[in-house]
Amino acid sequence: MSKEQTDSSRAEKWTFALTVVSLIAGGTVVAGLVDRWSSSPSDDISVAASSSISMTSTPEEMAPEDVPEFSYVTPSAVYPTTIPGCESVEAPEEDSFFSYILDGSDTYDDPRFPWFSSAKAAAMSDAVKQALPKDVELKFASPGNSLQFGPISAPSNTDGLPEGFSLEELASTTASGTLIRDGKIGALSLMLHSSSDPIPSCVAGSLVERRVLADQSVVDLQDTWTETNGVRTLNRSAMLYGADGTRIQAYVNDTNNDGGRDAESSGVVPLTLDELATLVAMPQLLITTPVPPGTAPLQTDCGGWADESSGRELDRGIVDALGDALRSGWHAAAPGGPDLGSQLGDLVLAENDTTTACQDLVARSDGNESRLSISITSGQPLPTPPNKYDPSYDGHPLSMVTAEDGSVIERDESRWENVHRSVVVTHPGGTQVTVSSSAEAPNVPMTFEQLEFLATIDGLEIR
C-alpha cells in the first residue's frame, strides 16, 4: 500500500472516533482522536485517569495517590485472516491517539464547508429518524439528543494540524440518540464529513465485512465489543466511503448513554448490521444531495445543565400539553404584544434536564426585535421574600407578590451589555414558569405585563 493510502487509512478510521475529553474555560475544547476499529496484539491497556481518556480533574488538582486505574480491553485481532468483501487483508495497526483544540465557534453555515448548512442538517436528521425500523423507538429527549445533526465541528485554523490530516477530514457533524427495541436500550450516533482520500485497505480487526454498492461506494461493517474497567459493551458500526466524497459512520451499542460513566448495558444492540448498512447508504445523507424544498427548520436546544431537581421527569405528552396551553392562551387574549411567530408553543425537553420544558423565540414588533425564553419545571419550593435590611441584599428581585391562588410572582431586570427582564411564577404545587426577554439597544425587551401574561396562562402547571 502506498504512503498516501496508509495515511488515508489512518485518517478515515480515527476521524469518526472523535472524543471530547476536556472542557476548558472560555468555550475551548480539547478533542482527542483515537483509532478504535483496529486492535493490536496487546489489547489490555491500563492508563491513569488523568490521561486524555478521562479528565474529571486537572493533573494539578489530582494527587498521585488519588489517580484510579483505568482498563480498556478489546478483542484480539486474528491475522492472517480473510474478510468477506475484501480482496486482501492487512495486519492490524497499533492504536493511536492525539489531540487538537476546538475554539467553540461551531456553526451550521461555515463557508469553508459549502456542502453543509442548517437546512441540510434538518433534512438529514428527518431522513435518519424516518429510516429507523418501525419497531424501534427513539427515546424522547432534547433536540440535540434526538438524532439531530449539530453544527460543523472543526479547528478554527489549520495551524498545528497533525501531519497527514486535512481540515476537511477533521470537520464533522454528529447526531446521537437513544433507541429502544423490544424493551432493550442502546445508543446510536452518526458522524458525517467529506474526504477526497481513497478508500482504505481492509485491516484485520477493523471490520467483519465490506460491501460494494452499485455506485461503487463502499460500506465497512464492524461487530465487536469493548470492556472498560471490566464492564463489557457490545458495539456495531457501519462506515460509508461514498463515491462523491461523503464519509458517514453509524455507531450503535447496548448502553443507555453511549458508553459514558453511568452506562448501563442492556445486552442487546438495537440495530442489526444490515440496518446500519442501510442507514449510512441513504442518498439523503450524501453531501451532494440537495435539500428538499419545504424542509422544516431545526429545533433548537434550550436550557442547559440543571441544578439538582426534584421535579417530575417529563414525557412527550406532558410537554405537548404545556405547549398547546401556551399557544392557545397567547393567541386567545394576547395583550397587544409582539408577534411571537407560528412556533410559539413548540416546547422541547431541556438540554441535559429531563424535568424541564423550554423554548427560545424571537419577538418582533414594528421593527423591534427581542429574545424570548420560556422555561417550565416542577418540584420547586415557593420563594420567600428577601430581607431588604440584610447587608447581602442586592436589590433583586425588583418585586415579589403573592397571587390569590398562592402563587408567587417575581419580577426582575438587569442591565449590562443588554437589558434583561424576567417574570418567574412559582405555583403552590411546585411548578415554576420562567419567562424572560432580552434586547440590545436600540431594541427593547418585552414589557413586564406581557411576560407575566405568558407566565400565568392557564394550563402551564405540571401535575
Side-chain angles (χ1 to χ4, degrees), residues 149-196:
F149 283 93
I152 284 283
S153 177
S156 58
N157 57 65
T158 57
D159 294 339
L161 292 183
E163 183 179 357
F165 300 101
S166 66
L167 181 62
E168 69 169 348
E169 292 167 335
L170 300 179
S172 61
T173 176
T174 60
S176 62
T178 299
L179 306 182
I180 304 172
R181 192 176 206 173
D182 296 330
K184 302 293 185 180
I185 201 165
L188 171 65
S189 62
L190 297 99
M191 178 178 283
L192 189 150
H193 72 286
S194 66
S195 175
S196 57

mmCIF file of all heavy atoms in Angstrom, residues 149-196:
data_model
loop_
_atom_site.group_PDB
_atom_site.id
_atom_site.type_symbol
_atom_site.label_atom_id
_atom_site.label_comp_id
_atom_site.label_asym_id
_atom_site.label_seq_id
_atom_site.Cartn_x
_atom_site.Cartn_y
_atom_site.Cartn_z
ATOM 1 N N PHE A 149 -28.618 16.438 13.686
ATOM 2 C CA PHE A 149 -27.235 16.778 13.367
ATOM 3 C C PHE A 149 -26.902 18.179 13.865
ATOM 4 O O PHE A 149 -27.652 19.134 13.659
ATOM 5 C CB PHE A 149 -26.989 16.678 11.864
ATOM 6 C CG PHE A 149 -26.835 15.265 11.380
ATOM 7 C CD1 PHE A 149 -27.927 14.552 10.915
ATOM 8 C CD2 PHE A 149 -25.595 14.643 11.411
ATOM 9 C CE1 PHE A 149 -27.791 13.246 10.477
ATOM 10 C CE2 PHE A 149 -25.449 13.335 10.982
ATOM 11 C CZ PHE A 149 -26.556 12.623 10.514
ATOM 12 N N GLY A 150 -25.762 18.277 14.523
ATOM 13 C CA GLY A 150 -25.313 19.544 15.065
ATOM 14 C C GLY A 150 -24.469 20.314 14.075
ATOM 15 O O GLY A 150 -24.248 19.881 12.937
ATOM 16 N N PRO A 151 -23.971 21.486 14.479
ATOM 17 C CA PRO A 151 -23.134 22.300 13.595
ATOM 18 C C PRO A 151 -21.810 21.617 13.282
ATOM 19 O O PRO A 151 -21.420 20.659 13.950
ATOM 20 C CB PRO A 151 -22.936 23.586 14.398
ATOM 21 C CG PRO A 151 -23.134 23.184 15.823
ATOM 22 C CD PRO A 151 -24.174 22.107 15.794
ATOM 23 N N ILE A 152 -21.147 22.109 12.262
ATOM 24 C CA ILE A 152 -19.839 21.573 11.896
ATOM 25 C C ILE A 152 -18.849 21.844 13.028
ATOM 26 O O ILE A 152 -18.729 22.965 13.512
ATOM 27 C CB ILE A 152 -19.326 22.214 10.594
ATOM 28 C CG1 ILE A 152 -20.051 21.615 9.385
ATOM 29 C CG2 ILE A 152 -17.827 22.033 10.456
ATOM 30 C CD1 ILE A 152 -19.557 20.246 8.983
ATOM 31 N N SER A 153 -18.170 20.814 13.446
ATOM 32 C CA SER A 153 -17.123 20.944 14.456
ATOM 33 C C SER A 153 -15.783 20.827 13.750
ATOM 34 O O SER A 153 -15.492 19.810 13.124
ATOM 35 C CB SER A 153 -17.275 19.839 15.511
ATOM 36 O OG SER A 153 -16.241 19.908 16.463
ATOM 37 N N ALA A 154 -14.989 21.886 13.816
ATOM 38 C CA ALA A 154 -13.717 21.909 13.091
ATOM 39 C C ALA A 154 -12.750 22.876 13.746
ATOM 40 O O ALA A 154 -13.174 23.851 14.378
ATOM 41 C CB ALA A 154 -13.941 22.314 11.635
ATOM 42 N N PRO A 155 -11.442 22.648 13.613
ATOM 43 C CA PRO A 155 -10.471 23.632 14.105
ATOM 44 C C PRO A 155 -10.698 24.968 13.417
ATOM 45 O O PRO A 155 -11.084 25.035 12.253
ATOM 46 C CB PRO A 155 -9.120 23.023 13.703
ATOM 47 C CG PRO A 155 -9.391 21.558 13.528
ATOM 48 C CD PRO A 155 -10.789 21.468 13.019
ATOM 49 N N SER A 156 -10.471 26.056 14.146
ATOM 50 C CA SER A 156 -10.703 27.381 13.582
ATOM 51 C C SER A 156 -9.662 27.752 12.537
ATOM 52 O O SER A 156 -9.901 28.595 11.683
ATOM 53 C CB SER A 156 -10.715 28.432 14.695
ATOM 54 O OG SER A 156 -9.495 28.401 15.406
ATOM 55 N N ASN A 157 -8.490 27.125 12.587
ATOM 56 C CA ASN A 157 -7.470 27.376 11.566
ATOM 57 C C ASN A 157 -6.672 26.106 11.354
ATOM 58 O O ASN A 157 -6.851 25.110 12.064
ATOM 59 C CB ASN A 157 -6.555 28.543 11.974
ATOM 60 C CG ASN A 157 -5.880 28.292 13.322
ATOM 61 O OD1 ASN A 157 -5.081 27.384 13.464
ATOM 62 N ND2 ASN A 157 -6.217 29.130 14.319
ATOM 63 N N THR A 158 -5.798 26.129 10.391
ATOM 64 C CA THR A 158 -5.044 24.926 10.026
ATOM 65 C C THR A 158 -3.694 24.847 10.718
ATOM 66 O O THR A 158 -2.930 23.907 10.460
ATOM 67 C CB THR A 158 -4.847 24.884 8.507
ATOM 68 O OG1 THR A 158 -4.180 26.089 8.080
ATOM 69 C CG2 THR A 158 -6.190 24.778 7.788
ATOM 70 N N ASP A 159 -3.386 25.812 11.563
ATOM 71 C CA ASP A 159 -2.112 25.765 12.281
ATOM 72 C C ASP A 159 -2.124 24.617 13.284
ATOM 73 O O ASP A 159 -3.061 24.467 14.067
ATOM 74 C CB ASP A 159 -1.867 27.075 13.025
ATOM 75 C CG ASP A 159 -1.678 28.250 12.078
ATOM 76 O OD1 ASP A 159 -1.338 27.999 10.897
ATOM 77 O OD2 ASP A 159 -1.898 29.401 12.511
ATOM 78 N N GLY A 160 -1.100 23.839 13.268
ATOM 79 C CA GLY A 160 -0.974 22.774 14.253
ATOM 80 C C GLY A 160 -1.758 21.516 13.944
ATOM 81 O O GLY A 160 -1.870 20.631 14.798
ATOM 82 N N LEU A 161 -2.315 21.387 12.739
ATOM 83 C CA LEU A 161 -2.995 20.138 12.393
ATOM 84 C C LEU A 161 -1.972 19.011 12.335
ATOM 85 O O LEU A 161 -0.832 19.208 11.921
ATOM 86 C CB LEU A 161 -3.694 20.260 11.037
ATOM 87 C CG LEU A 161 -4.900 21.193 10.942
ATOM 88 C CD1 LEU A 161 -5.495 21.127 9.539
ATOM 89 C CD2 LEU A 161 -5.951 20.834 11.968
ATOM 90 N N PRO A 162 -2.361 17.817 12.755
ATOM 91 C CA PRO A 162 -1.416 16.702 12.741
ATOM 92 C C PRO A 162 -0.980 16.364 11.318
ATOM 93 O O PRO A 162 -1.746 16.538 10.360
ATOM 94 C CB PRO A 162 -2.224 15.556 13.358
ATOM 95 C CG PRO A 162 -3.635 15.930 13.134
ATOM 96 C CD PRO A 162 -3.681 17.423 13.236
ATOM 97 N N GLU A 163 0.226 15.904 11.203
ATOM 98 C CA GLU A 163 0.779 15.577 9.893
ATOM 99 C C GLU A 163 -0.055 14.496 9.211
ATOM 100 O O GLU A 163 -0.421 13.499 9.822
ATOM 101 C CB GLU A 163 2.223 15.097 10.044
ATOM 102 C CG GLU A 163 2.903 14.804 8.724
ATOM 103 C CD GLU A 163 4.337 14.342 8.903
ATOM 104 O OE1 GLU A 163 4.801 14.311 10.073
ATOM 105 O OE2 GLU A 163 4.977 14.006 7.897
ATOM 106 N N GLY A 164 -0.381 14.731 7.954
ATOM 107 C CA GLY A 164 -1.119 13.738 7.194
ATOM 108 C C GLY A 164 -2.619 13.915 7.232
ATOM 109 O O GLY A 164 -3.346 13.133 6.621
ATOM 110 N N PHE A 165 -3.132 14.952 7.941
ATOM 111 C CA PHE A 165 -4.567 15.142 8.061
ATOM 112 C C PHE A 165 -4.959 16.535 7.576
ATOM 113 O O PHE A 165 -4.304 17.516 7.884
ATOM 114 C CB PHE A 165 -5.017 14.942 9.507
ATOM 115 C CG PHE A 165 -4.720 13.577 10.031
ATOM 116 C CD1 PHE A 165 -3.627 13.353 10.848
ATOM 117 C CD2 PHE A 165 -5.512 12.510 9.671
ATOM 118 C CE1 PHE A 165 -3.348 12.091 11.315
ATOM 119 C CE2 PHE A 165 -5.235 11.245 10.143
ATOM 120 C CZ PHE A 165 -4.148 11.026 10.962
ATOM 121 N N SER A 166 -6.051 16.575 6.820
ATOM 122 C CA SER A 166 -6.517 17.837 6.266
ATOM 123 C C SER A 166 -7.677 18.382 7.090
ATOM 124 O O SER A 166 -8.292 17.666 7.885
ATOM 125 C CB SER A 166 -6.977 17.633 4.820
ATOM 126 O OG SER A 166 -8.122 16.793 4.778
ATOM 127 N N LEU A 167 -8.006 19.665 6.872
ATOM 128 C CA LEU A 167 -9.113 20.296 7.593
ATOM 129 C C LEU A 167 -10.425 19.596 7.285
ATOM 130 O O LEU A 167 -11.264 19.409 8.169
ATOM 131 C CB LEU A 167 -9.193 21.772 7.222
ATOM 132 C CG LEU A 167 -10.290 22.584 7.905
ATOM 133 C CD1 LEU A 167 -10.076 22.609 9.410
ATOM 134 C CD2 LEU A 167 -10.347 24.001 7.341
ATOM 135 N N GLU A 168 -10.647 19.200 6.031
ATOM 136 C CA GLU A 168 -11.915 18.573 5.668
ATOM 137 C C GLU A 168 -12.117 17.253 6.412
ATOM 138 O O GLU A 168 -13.242 16.880 6.732
ATOM 139 C CB GLU A 168 -12.004 18.332 4.158
ATOM 140 C CG GLU A 168 -11.074 17.266 3.624
ATOM 141 C CD GLU A 168 -11.397 16.886 2.182
ATOM 142 O OE1 GLU A 168 -12.456 17.278 1.678
ATOM 143 O OE2 GLU A 168 -10.561 16.178 1.572
ATOM 144 N N GLU A 169 -11.026 16.550 6.724
ATOM 145 C CA GLU A 169 -11.158 15.292 7.451
ATOM 146 C C GLU A 169 -11.505 15.514 8.920
ATOM 147 O O GLU A 169 -12.080 14.643 9.565
ATOM 148 C CB GLU A 169 -9.855 14.496 7.348
ATOM 149 C CG GLU A 169 -9.569 13.996 5.943
ATOM 150 C CD GLU A 169 -8.156 13.489 5.795
ATOM 151 O OE1 GLU A 169 -7.271 13.924 6.566
ATOM 152 O OE2 GLU A 169 -7.931 12.667 4.899
ATOM 153 N N LEU A 170 -11.151 16.681 9.452
ATOM 154 C CA LEU A 170 -11.409 16.968 10.857
ATOM 155 C C LEU A 170 -12.709 17.736 11.073
ATOM 156 O O LEU A 170 -13.096 17.973 12.208
ATOM 157 C CB LEU A 170 -10.244 17.772 11.448
ATOM 158 C CG LEU A 170 -8.876 17.089 11.409
ATOM 159 C CD1 LEU A 170 -7.820 18.012 11.999
ATOM 160 C CD2 LEU A 170 -8.896 15.762 12.140
ATOM 161 N N ALA A 171 -13.373 18.118 9.985
ATOM 162 C CA ALA A 171 -14.621 18.879 10.079
ATOM 163 C C ALA A 171 -15.793 17.925 9.970
ATOM 164 O O ALA A 171 -16.014 17.304 8.929
ATOM 165 C CB ALA A 171 -14.682 19.918 8.968
ATOM 166 N N SER A 172 -16.563 17.790 11.034
ATOM 167 C CA SER A 172 -17.628 16.795 11.037
ATOM 168 C C SER A 172 -18.878 17.330 11.716
ATOM 169 O O SER A 172 -18.826 18.262 12.513
ATOM 170 C CB SER A 172 -17.166 15.521 11.758
ATOM 171 O OG SER A 172 -16.842 15.808 13.106
ATOM 172 N N THR A 173 -20.008 16.712 11.391
ATOM 173 C CA THR A 173 -21.270 16.960 12.078
ATOM 174 C C THR A 173 -21.745 15.633 12.658
ATOM 175 O O THR A 173 -21.572 14.581 12.039
ATOM 176 C CB THR A 173 -22.325 17.546 11.134
ATOM 177 O OG1 THR A 173 -23.571 17.673 11.834
ATOM 178 C CG2 THR A 173 -22.540 16.679 9.903
ATOM 179 N N THR A 174 -22.307 15.682 13.847
ATOM 180 C CA THR A 174 -22.709 14.457 14.517
ATOM 181 C C THR A 174 -24.163 14.524 14.970
ATOM 182 O O THR A 174 -24.719 15.597 15.175
ATOM 183 C CB THR A 174 -21.829 14.169 15.751
ATOM 184 O OG1 THR A 174 -21.963 15.265 16.677
ATOM 185 C CG2 THR A 174 -20.375 14.017 15.358
ATOM 186 N N ALA A 175 -24.753 13.355 15.111
ATOM 187 C CA ALA A 175 -26.114 13.222 15.638
ATOM 188 C C ALA A 175 -26.129 12.011 16.552
ATOM 189 O O ALA A 175 -25.465 11.008 16.284
ATOM 190 C CB ALA A 175 -27.118 13.041 14.499
ATOM 191 N N SER A 176 -26.892 12.086 17.636
ATOM 192 C CA SER A 176 -26.949 10.968 18.562
ATOM 193 C C SER A 176 -28.326 10.873 19.197
ATOM 194 O O SER A 176 -29.069 11.859 19.278
ATOM 195 C CB SER A 176 -25.877 11.099 19.655
ATOM 196 O OG SER A 176 -26.084 12.274 20.418
ATOM 197 N N GLY A 177 -28.663 9.691 19.645
ATOM 198 C CA GLY A 177 -29.938 9.465 20.310
ATOM 199 C C GLY A 177 -29.959 8.094 20.948
ATOM 200 O O GLY A 177 -29.081 7.262 20.707
ATOM 201 N N THR A 178 -30.960 7.863 21.768
ATOM 202 C CA THR A 178 -31.120 6.585 22.450
ATOM 203 C C THR A 178 -32.275 5.823 21.818
ATOM 204 O O THR A 178 -33.361 6.376 21.632
ATOM 205 C CB THR A 178 -31.383 6.803 23.950
ATOM 206 O OG1 THR A 178 -30.259 7.494 24.528
ATOM 207 C CG2 THR A 178 -31.564 5.470 24.665
ATOM 208 N N LEU A 179 -32.037 4.562 21.491
ATOM 209 C CA LEU A 179 -33.039 3.720 20.848
ATOM 210 C C LEU A 179 -33.562 2.666 21.814
ATOM 211 O O LEU A 179 -32.827 2.208 22.693
ATOM 212 C CB LEU A 179 -32.442 3.018 19.620
ATOM 213 C CG LEU A 179 -31.777 3.898 18.559
ATOM 214 C CD1 LEU A 179 -31.287 3.041 17.395
ATOM 215 C CD2 LEU A 179 -32.729 4.978 18.074
ATOM 216 N N ILE A 180 -34.818 2.297 21.629
ATOM 217 C CA ILE A 180 -35.427 1.237 22.428
ATOM 218 C C ILE A 180 -36.078 0.240 21.471
ATOM 219 O O ILE A 180 -36.875 0.624 20.606
ATOM 220 C CB ILE A 180 -36.488 1.788 23.396
ATOM 221 C CG1 ILE A 180 -35.883 2.866 24.297
ATOM 222 C CG2 ILE A 180 -37.079 0.669 24.242
ATOM 223 C CD1 ILE A 180 -36.903 3.605 25.147
ATOM 224 N N ARG A 181 -35.738 -1.027 21.626
ATOM 225 C CA ARG A 181 -36.312 -2.082 20.791
ATOM 226 C C ARG A 181 -36.584 -3.301 21.652
ATOM 227 O O ARG A 181 -35.677 -3.813 22.314
ATOM 228 C CB ARG A 181 -35.354 -2.447 19.656
ATOM 229 C CG ARG A 181 -35.971 -3.329 18.568
ATOM 230 C CD ARG A 181 -34.991 -3.553 17.444
ATOM 231 N NE ARG A 181 -35.660 -3.833 16.176
ATOM 232 C CZ ARG A 181 -35.038 -3.933 15.015
ATOM 233 N NH1 ARG A 181 -33.715 -3.763 14.958
ATOM 234 N NH2 ARG A 181 -35.719 -4.195 13.911
ATOM 235 N N ASP A 182 -37.823 -3.744 21.644
ATOM 236 C CA ASP A 182 -38.216 -4.886 22.473
ATOM 237 C C ASP A 182 -37.816 -4.673 23.933
ATOM 238 O O ASP A 182 -37.400 -5.613 24.624
ATOM 239 C CB ASP A 182 -37.589 -6.185 21.947
ATOM 240 C CG ASP A 182 -38.096 -6.544 20.559
ATOM 241 O OD1 ASP A 182 -39.253 -6.193 20.249
ATOM 242 O OD2 ASP A 182 -37.335 -7.159 19.789
ATOM 243 N N GLY A 183 -37.936 -3.429 24.385
ATOM 244 C CA GLY A 183 -37.622 -3.118 25.773
ATOM 245 C C GLY A 183 -36.142 -2.991 26.078
ATOM 246 O O GLY A 183 -35.769 -2.673 27.207
ATOM 247 N N LYS A 184 -35.292 -3.203 25.088
ATOM 248 C CA LYS A 184 -33.839 -3.095 25.275
ATOM 249 C C LYS A 184 -33.360 -1.760 24.740
ATOM 250 O O LYS A 184 -33.816 -1.288 23.703
ATOM 251 C CB LYS A 184 -33.115 -4.235 24.562
ATOM 252 C CG LYS A 184 -33.542 -5.630 25.005
ATOM 253 C CD LYS A 184 -33.141 -5.905 26.448
ATOM 254 C CE LYS A 184 -33.466 -7.346 26.837
ATOM 255 N NZ LYS A 184 -33.078 -7.635 28.242
ATOM 256 N N ILE A 185 -32.409 -1.165 25.446
ATOM 257 C CA ILE A 185 -31.975 0.191 25.132
ATOM 258 C C ILE A 185 -30.574 0.179 24.535
ATOM 259 O O ILE A 185 -29.755 -0.692 24.830
ATOM 260 C CB ILE A 185 -32.022 1.061 26.405
ATOM 261 C CG1 ILE A 185 -32.097 2.544 26.060
ATOM 262 C CG2 ILE A 185 -30.840 0.762 27.325
ATOM 263 C CD1 ILE A 185 -32.501 3.410 27.241
ATOM 264 N N GLY A 186 -30.306 1.153 23.675
ATOM 265 C CA GLY A 186 -28.982 1.282 23.081
ATOM 266 C C GLY A 186 -28.775 2.693 22.567
ATOM 267 O O GLY A 186 -29.724 3.432 22.312
ATOM 268 N N ALA A 187 -27.517 3.096 22.403
ATOM 269 C CA ALA A 187 -27.179 4.447 21.963
ATOM 270 C C ALA A 187 -26.698 4.411 20.520
ATOM 271 O O ALA A 187 -25.825 3.618 20.164
ATOM 272 C CB ALA A 187 -26.100 5.045 22.862
ATOM 273 N N LEU A 188 -27.266 5.292 19.691
ATOM 274 C CA LEU A 188 -26.880 5.408 18.285
ATOM 275 C C LEU A 188 -26.250 6.768 18.052
ATOM 276 O O LEU A 188 -26.764 7.790 18.510
ATOM 277 C CB LEU A 188 -28.114 5.254 17.382
ATOM 278 C CG LEU A 188 -27.918 5.556 15.890
ATOM 279 C CD1 LEU A 188 -26.966 4.550 15.250
ATOM 280 C CD2 LEU A 188 -29.260 5.570 15.162
ATOM 281 N N SER A 189 -25.150 6.787 17.338
ATOM 282 C CA SER A 189 -24.531 8.049 16.951
ATOM 283 C C SER A 189 -24.094 7.964 15.495
ATOM 284 O O SER A 189 -23.759 6.889 14.997
ATOM 285 C CB SER A 189 -23.332 8.381 17.845
ATOM 286 O OG SER A 189 -22.322 7.392 17.726
ATOM 287 N N LEU A 190 -24.135 9.097 14.824
ATOM 288 C CA LEU A 190 -23.678 9.181 13.445
ATOM 289 C C LEU A 190 -22.719 10.350 13.322
ATOM 290 O O LEU A 190 -22.903 11.392 13.967
ATOM 291 C CB LEU A 190 -24.841 9.387 12.474
ATOM 292 C CG LEU A 190 -25.892 8.276 12.394
ATOM 293 C CD1 LEU A 190 -27.105 8.656 13.243
ATOM 294 C CD2 LEU A 190 -26.317 8.024 10.966
ATOM 295 N N MET A 191 -21.703 10.174 12.508
ATOM 296 C CA MET A 191 -20.755 11.239 12.225
ATOM 297 C C MET A 191 -20.576 11.327 10.718
ATOM 298 O O MET A 191 -20.442 10.309 10.045
ATOM 299 C CB MET A 191 -19.411 10.998 12.906
ATOM 300 C CG MET A 191 -18.365 12.064 12.595
ATOM 301 S SD MET A 191 -16.797 11.797 13.453
ATOM 302 C CE MET A 191 -17.242 12.351 15.100
ATOM 303 N N LEU A 192 -20.595 12.552 10.196
ATOM 304 C CA LEU A 192 -20.517 12.759 8.753
ATOM 305 C C LEU A 192 -19.490 13.834 8.442
ATOM 306 O O LEU A 192 -19.454 14.884 9.080
ATOM 307 C CB LEU A 192 -21.894 13.154 8.225
ATOM 308 C CG LEU A 192 -22.096 13.226 6.714
ATOM 309 C CD1 LEU A 192 -23.547 12.896 6.360
ATOM 310 C CD2 LEU A 192 -21.752 14.616 6.174
ATOM 311 N N HIS A 193 -18.635 13.552 7.455
ATOM 312 C CA HIS A 193 -17.702 14.559 6.961
ATOM 313 C C HIS A 193 -17.395 14.247 5.503
ATOM 314 O O HIS A 193 -17.932 13.290 4.937
ATOM 315 C CB HIS A 193 -16.418 14.592 7.809
ATOM 316 C CG HIS A 193 -15.505 13.429 7.622
ATOM 317 N ND1 HIS A 193 -15.776 12.180 8.132
ATOM 318 C CD2 HIS A 193 -14.320 13.320 6.975
ATOM 319 C CE1 HIS A 193 -14.788 11.351 7.826
ATOM 320 N NE2 HIS A 193 -13.894 12.023 7.111
ATOM 321 N N SER A 194 -16.575 15.052 4.878
ATOM 322 C CA SER A 194 -16.191 14.815 3.490
ATOM 323 C C SER A 194 -14.708 14.502 3.416
ATOM 324 O O SER A 194 -13.931 14.899 4.289
ATOM 325 C CB SER A 194 -16.508 16.037 2.612
ATOM 326 O OG SER A 194 -15.713 17.140 2.991
ATOM 327 N N SER A 195 -14.320 13.793 2.372
ATOM 328 C CA SER A 195 -12.917 13.443 2.202
ATOM 329 C C SER A 195 -12.655 13.097 0.743
ATOM 330 O O SER A 195 -13.485 12.462 0.091
ATOM 331 C CB SER A 195 -12.537 12.258 3.094
ATOM 332 O OG SER A 195 -11.206 11.850 2.855
ATOM 333 N N SER A 196 -11.495 13.506 0.263
ATOM 334 C CA SER A 196 -11.085 13.158 -1.100
ATOM 335 C C SER A 196 -10.085 12.021 -1.106
ATOM 336 O O SER A 196 -9.573 11.637 -2.166
ATOM 337 C CB SER A 196 -10.469 14.393 -1.790
ATOM 338 O OG SER A 196 -9.372 14.889 -1.033
#
